[in-house]
Amino acid sequence: MDLTAICEALKATQETDGEARRKAEEMLDAASTSSPNQLVLALAGVLAQNVTQVADPLRQEAAVILRQLVNGLPTRESVWEELEAQTKTEVMAQLLKSIGGEDSKAVRRNVGQVAAAIATIAADDFDELNKSWPELLPTLSQFVGVGCDVATRVIALGILKDLIPTVGEGLLAQGPAAITMLASQLADQAPEVRAAGCQLVLGMVEMLGPEDLEPVKQVMPAVVATIQGLASGFHEELLKETLEVLISAAEEEAEFVKNSQCLKGLTETLLQICGAGAAAFADEDIRTSAMEAVMALAVGLSEDVAEPQGLPLLEHLVSLNLQWMMEVEEDVDAWTKEGQDKDDDDCDQEVVGYGEENLDKLAETFEEEVLMPLLFRVIRRTMSMPDCSWKHARSCIMALAQVIEYLDEEAWVSQCVEFIIQHLGHAHPRVRYSAFWALGQACYDQSPDIQENFHETLLPKLVVGIDDPNIRVATAAVSAFCALGEELDSDALEPQMDDLLQRLFNLLHRGESMALREHCLSGIAVIAEASEDNFTPYYSHVMPMLKEVITKCTKEEERSLHGKAFECISLIGAVVGKEIFLNDACEVMTAIMPLVSNGFAADDPRREAFYEAAGKIAETLGKDFKPFVQTLLPSIFRVLEQRPTGKGTDDDSDGEDAMVRELGLKTSVLEEMESALELTNTLIQALEDDFCEFMPLMCQHLLPFMTMAMSEDLREICYSTWECLAACARSAVENGRMDISILRELVTEFLKKSIGAMVSTANDPKNKPDKDGDLPEGMCTTLQAQAAGVAKVVKKAGMGVLSKDAVKDLAGVIVQMMDAMRCPEKADPEPGLRRRRGGPVVEEDSDGDEKEEEEDVMPVTTQSVRFALVDVIGALMRSNPEEFVELALCPMMDLVKMLVRPERSEADRSLGFYLADDVVACLGEKTKPFWNGFMNEALLGMLDKSPIIRQFSASTIGSGASQAVFAQVVPAACNTIHQVLQKHGERHRRRRAVKADAKQNALAIDTCIQTLGQICQHQEAQMGNDAGTAWAMWLSNLPLKYNADAGKATHDQLVDLVMRNHPYLTKPEQLPRVLTVFAEIFRSKFSHGELDKKIAMAVCSLPEEVLQASCGSMPEKLQKKVEQMVKSNRA
């Protein structure tokens, strides 16, 4: 390829004509495959020309394409290793020539990147690079000398920075010469050179280990001085680039910065930049980059900053971020207009959002006893300033909104809420808006405590706020009411219900903004759900209004409101019940069906709302919804029949991850499939046995669907659909509507697909462990989902569905897979708090959806898969216990004995106790011959340093407590539990666990409390005179608020014991405590519908005079809960 031809091709790649550009790109791509040597040499030849021969844009393009060829692209491997030796030599020589003599800075910069890429490929370390490209480092050493021009020195320093992972360690090993070179760059007269030298040093800090960096400490004061000089001069671009490198260094090696004795000077410089004001720098990114750097240092050195000597830095950070949050739009009309429909503050400066995010980060990092006194000190100082304005008040309110999520102590929460309440009636609308917004956030973050403690104060203020003359304030007030009201009951709402509904109706009818109308619909739904039967009188007034919204909302911009109206109708229908709702439900479904049948556009916000509304209506109507299923299913099947195109998609390209591109399906299609399957699940559950007639058609579409490559979320929902089908079929068999052979066929076909897929995934040659022994995350994610799906389907299919051979085969496959999957020695023993039994109570976000916790985004690991495989074993034990005991119990107990040995890793021991607990809980006395292999280890494990080992050791002890042979274990078990609760019980009751490690500890303590209750109930006679003490300790630690499984079982146990008149728990002196526990869990996230009914029955079973006497000492809000129980039981 000659110079003219390559230049023509390069020119065509820059054409606006898409067809010409495409042909040129295809030609270059083909040349990279068929004749890479000629192409690379041609591109190097372009770089050899000067600007009079080839224009800068073409030489720039040549450098970019050459870099791509060397580095490779996602769709094309690097060509460097394919090139002939002579080609490589010529290219390397030309690159060095261009670095030293090229006139264009842009071309020279790209050429430098090409050189760095080649060096990285050619060598793994300093010595190897000197052998494979002996000219490079000496030439760069020459180029950074004072005899070269500034541009050449900067490029050479940039190349050295890019080469740090390869040559950094070796470069510093050269001794004083390297440090002298770095010092000379940092002392150079040219700011460009000083900045490049500074970036080189900071790159070393980021990418090298502390042991290699020791010599670099000598130049760190010069690094700080360079940053100070750049900040005080007119070098914004250089300062910005340097700060970006500093951020990465601070995130990686904050400890090194501290040990370099330059932390004080560096943080003072950064804080000075942050506090310089909006007018100080033309580029706003300078302030934000400086803040990001100092935040990285504060977070990375959090333990030091939390000490007295570090608190001034933390306080300064808090104060600065509050100042940033004052840079808001002053024009109220502009602010109101900007956000009245989409309810955001885009008109404010970007630093406002940064300030809020930074306070959130500080609250997440520092304990509240460290941060909150500082924050309130800053707030008091801010509010007492002579020039204190509405901006100061708004900033302080928003600061509290950012941190309240992370608070455990009720006193701090109350202090935050009281400050917010003081400003709900502020003269300035932006302050009132912020106060209502912060209140709504606080209600979600600290639910149900704020609702219980403040609803009487807040409801009247919200009623006033809903009628605020500023539409954005009114919208925020309605939104805050929705957050507060979701955890309130009918009694709490009743005094304000008429007033609230009337105001919401008025705002909805006036239709001043889309956002306000949508929030009004949500508010009406909240009132309906909270008031239950008391909402029925309002139904005849509300429903026509909602149907009118549906009829009139025909514009494209009203689609979201349209969907919200359907949701509201479905929620109200669920409250008033089928008898009242049936006719309107049929009318609403008639309106929905044409829209659902025609499908939704990818950007149609109604899709999810309509699917959810249809599902909610199905739940309400139950089997009476059946006439609509025949029409709904074809639209569901049409969605599920979509298949990958085999090509990636450009749709929503910024949000499309690698998995989605690999699947060849748009994100919107995957989401529609998820919604379709979720609706299917709801239909199956609503119709119960009546869904049997649709089951063959459903399975016919689901079986092929399972062979398709799926996203993680879609796969999980698909398996849940099979779970629903299995449960439905099981119910039909038990009710005589289906022969068991059909159920067996359904499960068999499902297992063939699933187990075959699991084995195929595990045996895929691509899925090999890395050098650390970790299996690929994609493989683990797939296997974990498959195993979880199999476990749930087998469990729902019920007893006796699997044949003896199927039990043997399935157990054999699981054991083989577990044996083959070994965790690295230092692997995290926690598979994910929600990927196992005994996980936390589900929290909800501000939309009422399941909140994504930190552990939800943890990567799926080998340990996650092993726990999921144990869950399959658990399901198998329960579906076919006799066959399991005969065929699989011995090898399983041998596995347990091996895993729980003290010398095994934490990952193995946690898995062993997880399996032991399930086997003992399921098979009981059948496991007694094997207890010597694990029960003593479980007693010791209750005091282990690992919370997950403590949790499942305790659970294993509790599962064994019902067996007579456990009597010999009682003294040791009770003594261990006493140690745990004496040490941790008070803090456990008083504080709210927020962070992942705190939750792990809380789950373990909850399990310990559950185990104490099991021992008390089943081994009370063995305790003798200590039984009363044990019962008292158990009762004093209730309710359980973290471990969902332990809480459900323990609260059920307490209710059952009270209903059976347990002699200790029903003593007059114990009943106030018992009733307090009942009041705390009744109709809360710590209970469920059946338990609420049992609690109400237990309370009403007590003689009225005893009940009154027992409630006398309880707080008023808990007495009201008891009144609700009595009322509920009578109803």
Side-chain angles (χ1 to χ4, degrees):
M1 186 177 293
D2 60 23
L3 180 64
T4 302
I6 189 64
C7 287
E8 286 298 322
L10 293 173
K11 185 177 180 181
T13 62
Q14 299 178 331
E15 291 285 349
T16 56
D17 182 354
E19 182 62 20
R21 185 172 64 251
R22 183 185 62 79
K23 288 182 178 179
E25 290 170 350
E26 288 179 352
M27 185 271 287
L28 291 169
D29 192 53
S32 71
T33 303
S34 62
S35 50
N37 286 280
Q38 292 89 328
L39 176 60
V40 168
L41 288 172
L43 292 168
V46 173
L47 296 176
Q49 310 304 308
N50 61 40
V51 69
T52 61
Q53 296 166 313
V54 177
D56 278 354
L58 296 188
R59 289 184 296 119
Q60 168 78 349
E61 185 70 12
V64 170
I65 294 175
L66 187 55
R67 187 183 73 232
Q68 293 173 347
L69 290 169
V70 171
N71 277 329
L73 294 171
T75 57
R76 185 177 61 204
E77 296 290 333
S78 167
V79 303
W80 184 254
E81 296 296 349
E82 302 174 23
L83 299 179
E84 298 171 356
Q86 182 61 34
T87 302
K88 293 179 180 180
T89 301
E90 292 183 27
V91 170
M92 292 189 291
Q94 180 57 53
L95 293 175
L96 293 180
K97 183 177 179 181
S98 295
I99 292 170
E102 173 60 53
D103 293 328
S104 167
K105 290 183 180 180
V107 174
R108 194 185 297 200
R109 184 168 56 250
N110 274 281
V111 167
Q113 292 171 353
V114 177
I118 291 173
T120 302
I121 295 172
D124 291 330
D125 58 36
F126 183 88
D127 293 334
E128 190 176 346
L129 182 59
N130 276 328
K131 293 177 183 177
S132 60
W133 193 352
E135 301 85 6
L136 177 62
L137 292 178
T139 303
L140 292 178
S141 178
Q142 175 188 342
F143 284 169
V144 300
V146 294
C148 290
D149 63 273
V150 169
T152 299
R153 297 174 68 191
V154 169
I155 293 297
L157 289 168
I159 295 173
L160 286 174
K161 177 178 175 294
D162 290 340
L163 291 177
I164 289 171
T166 304
V167 305
E169 182 180 345
L171 187 64
L172 292 176
Q174 302 305 303
I179 298 303
T180 301
M181 182 274 288
L182 293 173
S184 68
Q185 309 306 316
L186 293 168
D188 198 87
Q189 292 184 352
E192 295 88 349
V193 174
R194 294 200 304 274
C198 186
Q199 292 166 33
L200 174 58
V201 174
L202 292 172
M204 290 178 172
V205 174
E206 175 193 358
M207 290 179 265
L208 299 181
E211 64 282 357
D212 300 317
L213 288 171
E214 192 62 31
V216 177
K217 290 180 180 178
Q218 301 174 46
V219 298
M220 288 301 292
V223 167
V224 176
T226 297
I227 295 173
Q228 291 170 339
L230 294 175
S232 59
F234 299 96
H235 311 295
E236 290 196 11
E237 188 62 33
L238 297 175
L239 177 60
K240 179 181 174 182
E241 292 172 359
T242 304
L243 289 174
E244 288 172 355
V245 184
L246 173 60
I247 292 167
S248 300
E251 289 174 342
E252 286 295 325
E253 279 295 341
E255 195 70 28
F256 173 81
V257 177
K258 181 190 77 171
N259 294 335
S260 299
Q261 307 301 316
C262 65
L263 180 64
K264 185 173 184 294
L266 180 58
T267 54
E268 287 176 351
T269 299
L270 294 172
L271 291 171
Q272 186 177 1
I273 296 171
C274 296
F281 300 101
D283 190 339
E284 185 61 62
D285 288 345
I286 297 219
R287 280 201 300 163
T288 57
S289 293
M291 179 63 81
E292 191 174 351
V294 74
M295 283 288 297
L297 290 168
V299 171
L301 300 171
S302 57
E303 292 184 6
D304 298 282
V305 175
E307 295 296 324
Q309 66 271 19
L311 293 179
L313 170 60
L314 182 58
E315 184 171 347
H316 200 157
L317 275 173
V318 171
S319 181
L320 271 176
N321 280 294
L322 255 70
Q323 290 177 34
W324 279 21
M325 291 159 62
M326 296 179 199
E327 298 184 24
V328 294
E329 174 61 58
E330 296 182 356
D331 187 330
V332 173
D333 291 338
W335 168 77
T336 303
K337 183 178 180 181
E338 172 75 23
Q340 69 176 17
D341 280 325
K342 52 185 179 179
D343 198 26
D344 59 31
D345 292 334
D346 288 346
C347 54
D348 293 334
Q349 297 297 317
E350 284 189 5
V351 294
V352 176
Y354 285 123
E356 293 170 359
E357 291 172 7
N358 290 335
L359 282 170
D360 184 281
K361 185 67 175 178
L362 293 175
E364 182 182 21
T365 302
F366 293 93
E367 297 291 340
E368 60 192 283
E369 55 263 32
V370 174
L371 179 66
M372 294 308 293
L374 291 180
L375 176 57
F376 270 102
R377 182 157 66 238
V378 173
I379 287 176
R380 286 192 295 271
R381 187 166 65 238
T382 300
M383 296 300 293
S384 62
M385 288 179 176
D387 61 344
C388 180
S389 68
W390 66 268
K391 292 183 181 180
H392 295 73
R394 180 204 169 277
S395 178
C396 293
I397 292 167
M398 294 303 291
L400 295 178
Q402 299 307 310
V403 306
I404 198 166
E405 174 186 359
Y406 301 99
L407 302 182
D408 297 336
E409 291 287 354
E410 187 174 320
W412 285 121
V413 175
S414 296
Q415 199 168 337
C416 292
V417 175
E418 286 162 2
F419 183 89
I420 293 169
I421 289 173
Q422 294 171 20
H423 295 85
L424 292 174
H426 195 278
H428 199 283
R430 290 213 62 173
V431 177
R432 296 197 303 276
Y433 171 86
S434 296
F436 281 117
W437 186 92
L439 177 61
Q441 191 65 41
C443 287
Y444 285 122
D445 291 337
Q446 294 290 342
S447 170
D449 295 340
I450 288 180
Q451 285 85 344
E452 293 174 355
N453 296 329
F454 291 96
H455 74 269
E456 291 182 350
T457 302
L458 290 172
L459 279 172
K461 295 183 180 297
L462 287 168
V463 169
V464 174
I466 288 171
D467 268 351
D468 196 279
N470 183 283
I471 191 169
R472 291 199 64 182
V473 177
T475 302
V478 176
S479 179
F481 165 71
C482 293
L484 179 74
E486 285 188 357
E487 290 292 338
L488 297 182
D489 55 30
S490 181
D491 291 341
L493 275 177
E494 196 276 331
Q496 306 289 340
M497 191 183 300
D498 286 344
D499 212 354
L500 280 165
L501 281 171
Q502 189 57 54
R503 290 170 193 250
L504 292 174
F505 292 158
N506 290 342
L507 289 175
L508 183 63
H509 182 71
R510 279 164 28 199
E512 292 183 62
S513 84
M514 204 69 64
L516 179 56
R517 294 169 75 190
E518 289 185 26
H519 283 304
C520 286
L521 289 172
S522 297
I524 293 168
V526 165
I527 293 173
E529 290 187 292
S531 58
E532 298 178 333
D533 293 343
N534 291 338
F535 192 80
T536 302
Y538 300 96
Y539 179 83
S540 59
H541 178 65
V542 174
M543 191 54 64
M545 183 179 297
L546 295 177
K547 290 193 290 188
E548 182 181 359
V549 172
I550 290 175
T551 303
K552 292 185 176 180
C553 289
T554 57
K555 299 177 182 177
E556 184 173 339
E557 61 269 22
E558 294 177 319
R559 292 181 303 177
S560 180
L561 181 65
H562 199 203
K564 182 68 74 172
F566 274 119
E567 283 187 285
C568 186
I569 286 172
S570 67
L571 290 167
I572 290 174
V575 170
V576 300
K578 179 170 67 174
E579 184 175 343
I580 296 174
F581 183 52
L582 183 58
N583 290 336
D584 288 315
C586 292
E587 184 178 341
V588 169
M589 284 305 303
T590 301
I592 286 180
M593 293 317 299
L595 295 166
V596 175
S597 297
N598 293 333
F600 297 98
D603 62 344
D604 194 331
R606 295 175 298 180
R607 180 186 63 204
E608 185 177 353
F610 286 169
Y611 274 130
E612 288 186 6
K616 179 65 72 174
I617 293 171
E619 289 174 347
T620 303
L621 301 189
K623 295 186 177 183
D624 286 332
F625 192 82
K626 186 177 179 180
F628 301 104
V629 174
Q630 193 70 48
T631 308
L632 271 175
L633 286 180
S635 65
I636 292 174
F637 295 153
R638 195 161 51 247
V639 172
L640 299 183
E641 286 167 356
Q642 298 177 90
R643 288 295 181 268
T645 61
K647 296 180 180 179
T649 172
D650 294 331
D651 176 70
D652 189 25
S653 57
D654 289 341
E656 299 276 271
D657 59 20
M659 172 62 78
V660 173
R661 288 194 295 270
E662 181 181 335
L663 298 179
L665 288 171
K666 297 179 180 180
T667 303
S668 57
V669 173
L670 291 171
E671 290 173 348
E672 192 171 15
M673 287 178 169
E674 292 169 13
S675 297
L677 287 175
E678 286 171 346
L679 177 57
T680 301
N681 297 350
T682 303
L683 297 178
I684 297 169
Q685 293 163 352
L687 267 63
E688 299 175 343
D689 297 356
D690 280 4
F691 196 83
C692 286
E693 67 183 76
F694 306 111
M695 196 172 292
L697 197 58
M698 194 74 236
C699 293
Q700 180 182 330
H701 282 82
L702 271 183
L703 280 171
F705 185 72
M706 289 184 68
T707 63
M708 185 182 80
M710 302 182 199
S711 66
E712 184 178 351
D713 290 341
L714 183 58
R715 184 185 295 110
E716 182 177 343
I717 298 171
C718 178
Y719 277 112
S720 72
T721 303
W722 280 104
E723 183 184 353
C724 291
L725 288 170
C728 178
R730 183 74 207 186
S731 175
V733 169
E734 292 174 351
N735 293 328
R737 299 191 61 178
M738 178 185 286
D739 189 82
I740 194 170
S741 63
I742 299 176
L743 171 58
R744 185 170 289 122
E745 181 182 1
L746 182 152
V747 175
T748 300
E749 290 301 315
F750 166 80
L751 288 177
K752 283 181 183 178
K753 292 279 187 183
S754 298
I755 300 300
M758 290 174 67
V759 172
S760 176
T761 301
N763 293 336
D764 190 330
K766 295 183 295 185
N767 293 328
K768 297 298 181 184
D770 62 19
K771 62 181 180 180
D772 297 321
D774 292 311
L775 291 169
E777 185 180 344
M779 169 194 176
C780 291
T781 299
T782 300
L783 281 176
Q784 196 270 342
Q786 290 168 335
V790 168
K792 291 174 181 177
V793 171
V794 171
K795 181 179 178 181
K796 292 293 185 181
M799 295 280 286
V801 171
L802 298 179
S803 66
K804 193 171 183 178
D805 286 342
V807 172
K808 181 179 179 180
D809 292 344
L810 182 54
V813 169
I814 299 303
V815 170
Q816 286 177 15
M817 293 184 69
M818 290 181 66
D819 188 57
M821 302 186 78
R822 307 294 177 87
C823 283
E825 180 66 26
K826 299 296 184 180
D828 188 346
E830 176 61 70
L833 298 183
R834 301 215 187 139
R835 297 179 185 141
R836 58 175 175 82
R837 302 188 310 275
V841 174
V842 173
E843 301 284 349
E844 292 184 346
D845 62 17
S846 57
D847 295 322
D849 298 323
E850 186 173 321
K851 184 185 289 185
E852 184 180 75
E853 302 287 353
E854 181 181 342
E855 62 271 10
D856 294 330
V857 294
M858 286 174 57
V860 179
T861 62
T862 305
Q863 184 75 337
S864 309
V865 178
R866 297 202 303 172
F867 268 68
L869 292 173
V870 169
D871 289 338
V872 177
I873 295 297
L876 199 55
M877 284 188 289
R878 287 163 175 81
S879 69
N880 294 72
E882 293 182 6
E883 293 86 349
F884 186 89
V885 169
E886 176 187 348
L887 301 169
L889 182 58
C890 285
M892 286 299 161
M893 299 318 295
D894 287 341
L895 180 61
V896 167
K897 182 178 180 180
M898 178 180 65
L899 289 170
V900 301
R901 289 163 59 180
E903 67 270 18
R904 297 299 290 258
S905 67
E906 287 186 11
D908 283 350
R909 293 172 64 220
S910 63
L911 181 72
F913 287 122
Y914 188 73
L915 177 55
D917 172 41
D918 210 20
V919 175
V920 175
C922 178
L923 301 179
E925 64 177 11
K926 302 287 187 184
T927 66
K928 288 190 293 184
F930 305 96
W931 277 22
N932 286 339
F934 62 87
M935 197 59 78
N936 189 58
E937 284 77 6
L939 282 170
L940 297 173
M942 292 173 70
L943 297 175
D944 197 87
K945 65 178 181 179
S946 168
I948 188 171
I949 291 177
R950 295 200 304 271
Q951 178 177 351
F952 288 105
S953 294
S955 191
T956 301
I957 296 295
S959 296
S962 61
Q963 303 302 315
V965 72
F966 187 84
Q968 57 189 300
V969 183
V970 169
C974 288
N975 181 58
T976 301
I977 293 171
H978 182 265
Q979 289 183 56
V980 173
L981 297 184
Q982 280 288 99
K983 183 176 181 180
H984 302 290
E986 176 61 30
R987 180 181 175 89
H988 181 67
R989 290 189 296 272
R990 182 170 54 87
R991 302 199 60 179
R992 190 169 73 95
V994 176
K995 298 176 182 177
D997 56 347
K999 285 184 180 180
Q1000 288 177 319
N1001 285 314
L1003 294 173
I1005 295 171
D1006 269 7
T1007 305
C1008 202
I1009 297 165
Q1010 177 194 20
T1011 297
L1012 176 60
Q1014 292 169 305
I1015 295 173
C1016 287
Q1017 179 173 354
H1018 297 293
Q1019 301 290 338
E1020 186 171 9
Q1022 302 300 321
M1023 296 182 179
N1025 295 333
D1026 294 327
T1029 303
W1031 279 115
M1033 177 174 282
W1034 180 66
L1035 187 60
S1036 69
N1037 282 283
L1038 299 183
L1040 305 187
K1041 295 186 176 182
Y1042 298 98
N1043 188 321
D1045 294 336
K1048 180 180 183 301
T1050 302
H1051 300 153
D1052 275 330
Q1053 179 190 7
L1054 176 63
V1055 176
D1056 290 340
L1057 290 169
V1058 171
M1059 294 183 74
R1060 295 204 302 265
N1061 293 313
H1062 186 276
Y1064 179 84
L1065 296 174
T1066 54
K1067 283 183 178 181
E1069 60 268 30
Q1070 300 302 329
L1071 281 176
R1073 179 59 197 160
V1074 170
L1075 290 173
T1076 296
V1077 175
F1078 285 170
E1080 288 181 355
I1081 62 178
F1082 182 72
R1083 290 180 178 173
S1084 74
K1085 61 187 176 185
F1086 312 118
S1087 182
H1088 52 87
E1090 286 302 313
L1091 180 57
D1092 287 338
K1093 291 179 183 178
K1094 289 172 65 176
I1095 290 173
M1097 289 175 60
V1099 169
C1100 290
S1101 69
L1102 298 172
E1104 188 171 346
E1105 62 276 10
V1106 173
L1107 185 59
Q1108 290 180 353
S1110 301
C1111 290
S1113 60
M1114 293 170 60
E1116 183 180 354
K1117 68 177 183 180
L1118 296 183
Q1119 290 186 35
K1120 289 184 177 180
K1121 274 286 194 80
V1122 175
E1123 292 172 6
Q1124 293 171 23
M1125 298 174 201
V1126 175
K1127 182 179 178 182
S1128 171
N1129 189 65
R1130 288 173 180 168

